[in-house]
């Protein structure tokens, strides 16, 4: 029942929030997100003792053999935890902001959370597809209605990309469904023995859908503009959680259902990922816009996770799962600080900033910490996941690992350059008047900083989640045939 509550709470409260306005909508959505987090923690506790109790199955569309088939393993619990931690952080940060039609804004945010949680919990392919679209549609309206000056054309491009990818995946799901005896269940899909030729072309239907969502080169072009034009809370959702849907799709559906196809195209997928790592890192160095810099940084990090998934050994898969959580936390921290800078100064152009360290010390210290975690400095939470991924990639192919490792240097260059331009030097007429962090902003960033240090020094809870419970099943599903 806990798995059902994880979806029902944001779904029902999201619909209720449409009828609220002003501070009522903000507070109600924050309470809803905290309630969902509390259910997640209860599910985590139950997962340690009786994981089978978290499975839920009920008839949904019996004529098609589709069920409401929900469950949690180590992989999905990690992402559910990330999703349910992210939303209270986001809502706390923007508690002092006022959005037009706030009831609709917060209602759509909660509906997108329900969609993402449904994606991570579904063990039925049709149900997975429905939640995949449910997560997308609210974000489309959030970007287009509350975004920047170019929000409409940019959001249209985002929608066309992701919708086209979704249709390709739907074609693949329907084809596989007709090879069964009328079932969409994950267990049935993974027990099929499709021919190598079938798996070869089916691989690309699923891969393109997931590669667009991550995104992986060359399917990434929607991302920087969408991040720049979206309201920052929506950018936090997109980069912190939603991009993980693509990585999750590869691990839950593509590789277990199409193992021969994944083997055939393994090197091509890793090559595209590695190209994306270097390409995005080089572009990030040239950016003066803070949002675009972080967007390209995210493409590089996701590219490494994608390469590690297709490397497919135990270390790389464990590293990906840990890093999906830590990357989500770190990048939300970066977006919170960029949101504060943009709100205070009306710009995110680094050329117009400088000297903020002398007038906003708390903001500056926390930006340094989150930036160092983003480049995976030892003793921060970003280190262990990246180390495991590089180690796994090295076991698979030394050259892929060596080229990818260049991104570590490039990441240090663009992040330290960003810190130097934003925080240090002399203040100007714009930055001299800025103020430091306030209430909700400080609370959210302190929580993120605590997670950075605790998980950096003591990563055992995350490693246990993926190594003591769910990783064996995941590795067996991905490499067992």
């Amino acid at each position: 029942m806990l798995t059902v509550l994880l979806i029902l709470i944001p779904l029902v409260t999201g619909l209720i929030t449409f009828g609220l306005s002003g501070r009522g909508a903000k507070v109600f959505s924050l309470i809803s997100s905290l309630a969902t987090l509390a259910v997640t923690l209860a599910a985590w506790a139950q997962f340690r003792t009786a994981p089978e109790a978290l499975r839920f199955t009920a008839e949904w569309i019996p004529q098609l053999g589709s069920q409401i088939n929900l469950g949690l393993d180590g992989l999905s619990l990690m992402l559910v935890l990330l999703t349910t931690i992210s939303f209270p952080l986001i809502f706390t940060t923007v508690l002092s902001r006022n959005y037009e039609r706030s009831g609709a804004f917060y209602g759509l945010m909660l509906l997108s959370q329900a969609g993402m949680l449904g994606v991570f919990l579904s063990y039925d392919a049709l149900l997975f597809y429905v939640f995949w679209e449910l997560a997308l549609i609210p974000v489309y309206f959030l970007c287009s209605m509350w975004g920047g000056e170019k929000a409409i054309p940019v959001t249209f491009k985002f929608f066309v990309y992701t919708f086209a990818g979704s249709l390709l995946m739907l074609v693949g799901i329907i084809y596989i469904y007709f090879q069964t005896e009328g079932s969409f269940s994950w267990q049935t899909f993974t027990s099929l023995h499709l021919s190598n030729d079938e798996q070869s072309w089916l691989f690309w239907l699923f891969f393109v859908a997931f590669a667009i969502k991550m995104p992986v080169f060359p399917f990434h072009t929607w991302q920087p503009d969408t991040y720049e034009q979206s309201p920052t809370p929506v950018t936090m959702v997109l980069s912190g959680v939603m991009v993980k849907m693509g990585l999750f799709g590869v691990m839950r559906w593509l590789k277990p259902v199409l193992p021969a196809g994944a083997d055939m195209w393994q090197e091509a997928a890793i090559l595209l990922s590695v190209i994306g790592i270097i390409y995005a890192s080089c572009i990030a160095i040239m950016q003066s816009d803070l949002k675009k810099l972080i967007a390209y940084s995210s493409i590089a990090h996701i590219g490494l996770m994608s390469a590690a998934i297709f490397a497919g050994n135990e270390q790389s898969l464990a590293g990906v799962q840990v890093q999906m959580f830590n990357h989500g936390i770190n990048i939300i921290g970066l977006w919170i600080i960029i949101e504060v800078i943009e709100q205070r100064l009306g710009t995110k152009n680094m050329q117009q900033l400088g000297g903020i360290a002398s007038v906003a010390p708390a903001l500056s210290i926390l930006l340094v910490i989150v930036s160092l975690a983003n480049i995976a400095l030892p003793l921060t939470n970003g280190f262990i996941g990246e180390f495991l991924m590089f180690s796994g990639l090295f076991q698979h192919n030394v050259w892929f690992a060596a080229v990818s490792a260049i991104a570590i240097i490039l990441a240090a260059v663009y992040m330290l350059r960003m810190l130097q331009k934003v925080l240090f030097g002399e203040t100007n007429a714009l930055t001299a008047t800025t103020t430091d962090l306030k209430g909700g902003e400080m609370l959210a960033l302190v929580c993120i900083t605590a997670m950075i240090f605790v998980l950096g020094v003591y990563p055992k809870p995350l490693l246990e989640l993926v190594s003591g419970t769910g990783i064996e099943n995941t590795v067996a599903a991905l490499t067992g045939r």
Side-chain angles (χ1 to χ4, degrees):
M1 196 59 194
L2 290 175
T3 49
V4 178
L5 284 176
L6 283 171
I7 300 171
L8 274 183
I9 291 174
L11 184 64
V12 173
T13 56
L15 293 173
I16 294 172
T17 308
F18 277 92
L20 304 175
S21 60
R23 186 167 181 81
K26 288 188 283 188
V27 173
F28 185 72
S29 57
L30 177 59
I31 292 171
S32 166
S33 64
L34 290 171
T36 312
L37 176 58
V39 173
T40 302
L41 296 177
W44 189 1
Q46 188 161 36
F47 182 75
R48 298 168 67 91
T49 55
E52 65 281 357
L54 295 169
R55 297 305 299 263
F56 178 86
T57 305
E59 291 293 336
W60 182 36
I61 310 176
Q63 294 86 347
L64 293 175
S66 183
Q67 296 179 316
I68 299 175
N69 190 347
L70 306 174
L72 276 170
D73 61 6
L75 170 62
S76 51
L77 181 55
M78 183 76 76
L79 290 167
V80 167
L81 194 60
L82 170 64
T83 308
T84 54
I85 287 176
S86 298
F87 274 76
L89 291 173
I90 295 169
F91 289 150
T92 301
T93 302
V94 298
L95 206 54
S96 61
R97 313 278 192 271
N98 293 315
Y99 294 98
E100 292 183 7
R101 304 181 298 279
S102 61
F105 181 86
Y106 287 101
L108 288 168
M109 289 283 284
L110 289 172
L111 291 183
S112 71
Q113 186 190 26
M116 287 182 280
L117 289 171
V119 166
F120 300 141
L121 292 168
S122 295
Y123 277 84
D124 181 284
L126 188 59
L127 189 66
F128 171 79
Y129 180 78
V130 169
F131 280 123
W132 183 275
E133 294 300 313
L134 178 60
L136 166 66
I137 293 169
V139 169
Y140 168 76
F141 286 110
L142 285 164
C143 294
S144 58
M145 294 173 68
W146 286 272
E149 293 178 355
K150 300 176 184 176
I152 298 297
V154 166
T155 308
F156 180 74
K157 181 180 178 181
F158 162 68
F159 185 79
V160 168
Y161 259 76
T162 52
F163 190 63
S166 299
L167 286 180
L168 291 176
M169 179 172 63
L170 181 61
V171 171
I173 289 173
I174 291 172
Y175 181 87
I176 296 172
Y177 168 74
F178 281 114
Q179 310 311 308
T180 71
E181 295 180 354
S183 172
F184 284 99
S185 82
W186 181 84
Q187 289 81 1
T188 303
F189 272 37
T190 53
S191 62
L192 277 176
H193 294 284
L194 298 168
S195 70
N196 287 351
D197 287 342
E198 288 174 310
Q199 293 198 35
S200 178
W201 63 266
L202 281 167
F203 169 87
W204 286 101
L205 296 182
F206 283 86
F207 178 73
V208 171
F210 298 142
I212 289 172
K213 189 68 78 178
M214 288 186 238
V216 166
F217 177 88
F219 307 102
H220 66 285
T221 59
W222 63 269
Q223 195 225 47
D225 291 337
T226 305
Y227 282 15
E228 183 194 20
Q229 290 295 315
S230 299
T232 306
V234 180
T235 308
M236 294 180 203
V237 173
L238 281 168
S239 59
V241 184
M242 189 168 279
V243 296
K244 311 303 187 301
M245 286 167 48
L247 296 163
F248 173 82
V250 174
M251 297 182 79
R252 169 72 77 235
W253 292 96
L254 194 157
K255 294 194 74 175
V257 175
L258 306 169
D263 285 344
M264 275 184 272
W265 296 108
Q266 177 185 37
E267 301 303 317
I270 296 177
L271 180 61
L272 289 177
S273 304
V274 172
I275 291 173
I277 294 169
I278 301 302
Y279 165 81
S281 299
C282 292
I283 299 294
I285 290 175
M286 296 186 289
Q287 296 304 309
S288 59
D289 184 287
L290 283 171
K291 277 193 162 183
K292 285 197 170 183
L293 186 152
I294 301 304
Y296 281 107
S297 162
S298 180
I299 293 174
H301 283 95
I302 294 293
L304 177 58
M305 294 182 219
S306 172
I309 289 176
F310 283 99
N313 52 59
E314 187 168 354
Q315 281 194 342
S316 66
L317 291 172
V320 170
Q321 292 178 82
V322 170
Q323 193 63 2
M324 281 197 287
F325 180 86
N326 287 327
H327 173 265
I329 295 299
N330 295 344
I331 202 160
I332 287 174
L334 286 171
W335 286 124
I336 290 173
I337 294 173
I338 292 171
E339 158 81 356
V340 171
I341 291 173
E342 190 175 12
Q343 285 289 326
R344 300 279 200 283
L345 304 175
T347 182
K348 45 191 170 49
N349 188 336
M350 289 190 289
Q351 305 302 331
Q352 299 174 349
L353 302 174
I356 289 180
S358 62
V359 290
L363 180 149
S364 304
I365 291 169
L366 294 173
L367 176 57
V368 170
I369 292 171
V370 179
S371 299
L372 294 179
N374 195 49
I375 59 177
L377 196 74
L379 300 182
T380 66
N381 63 340
F383 176 73
I384 185 64
E386 283 213 1
F387 182 84
L388 286 169
M389 288 191 294
F390 275 117
S391 175
L393 197 55
F394 184 85
Q395 291 177 40
H396 174 75
N397 185 302
V398 173
W399 289 108
F400 279 143
V403 175
S404 301
I406 297 172
I408 297 174
I409 301 168
L410 297 176
V413 171
Y414 62 71
M415 292 305 292
L416 294 177
R417 173 176 168 270
M418 183 267 288
L419 291 176
Q420 189 270 325
K421 285 187 171 294
V422 173
L423 301 183
F424 303 113
E426 297 294 326
T427 56
N428 55 41
L430 184 66
T431 58
T433 59
T434 193
T435 55
D436 213 339
L437 296 170
K438 298 175 183 175
E441 302 159 352
M442 177 69 85
L443 177 61
L445 284 169
V446 166
C447 291
I448 287 172
T449 305
M451 284 188 275
I452 286 172
F453 284 127
V454 170
L455 296 176
V457 175
Y458 187 68
K460 189 179 176 184
L462 290 185
L463 293 172
E464 277 186 346
L465 187 59
V466 299
S467 64
T469 51
I471 189 64
E472 288 87 354
N473 294 333
T474 305
V475 171
L478 298 181
T479 62
R481 284 190 279 168

